[in-house]
Amino acid sequence: MFEIGQKVAKENYTQAAVWCNQNDAHIKQIGAEYVIEANAAAAAPTAQERVQAQEVCTGLTRAVRELVLAENSGASAYVKELAQELETWAAVLRE
């Protein structure tokens, strides 16, 4: 029914807005006209944002990771694996 680049008339603005919501697009006013445009792609999270999000989700802050990864820590293999993966990501940030 609608497509990117199509001009929208006053009579079909509501239908165009519904279509845009379902098709990752929006209506932009350009001068006196309204045109359907594709939404910009979401920015990928930075390495720091990924590390911080994982620290919050897992509770494995840097200090906790050091304890988990220490010899004879008693942490499970699963927790050690998570801590090591997160520490690998974080090490790049510290370089």
Side-chain angles (χ1 to χ4, degrees):
M1 177 176 214
F2 294 98
E3 59 186 37
I4 303 299
Q6 181 176 345
K7 293 179 184 172
V8 178
K10 184 177 184 179
E11 296 77 30
N12 65 353
Y13 188 93
T14 301
Q15 294 88 352
V18 170
W19 183 90
C20 287
N21 286 337
Q22 296 170 346
N23 293 279
D24 199 28
H26 63 278
I27 300 172
K28 181 175 182 178
Q29 184 175 2
I30 301 175
E33 298 179 326
Y34 293 91
V35 179
I36 296 175
E37 291 188 349
N39 290 339
T46 65
Q48 183 164 354
E49 290 170 335
R50 284 186 13 216
V51 168
Q52 288 173 341
Q54 285 298 319
E55 286 179 342
V56 169
C57 289
T58 63
L60 293 170
T61 61
R62 184 172 182 187
V64 174
R65 290 193 306 271
E66 288 178 3
L67 293 172
V68 166
L69 295 173
E71 289 211 26
N72 299 321
S73 69
S76 70
Y78 174 73
V79 173
K80 285 182 181 181
E81 185 178 317
L82 283 176
Q84 185 57 59
E85 180 180 359
L86 191 48
E87 189 58 26
T88 301
W89 292 354
V92 172
L93 298 174
R94 292 191 291 266
E95 291 178 348

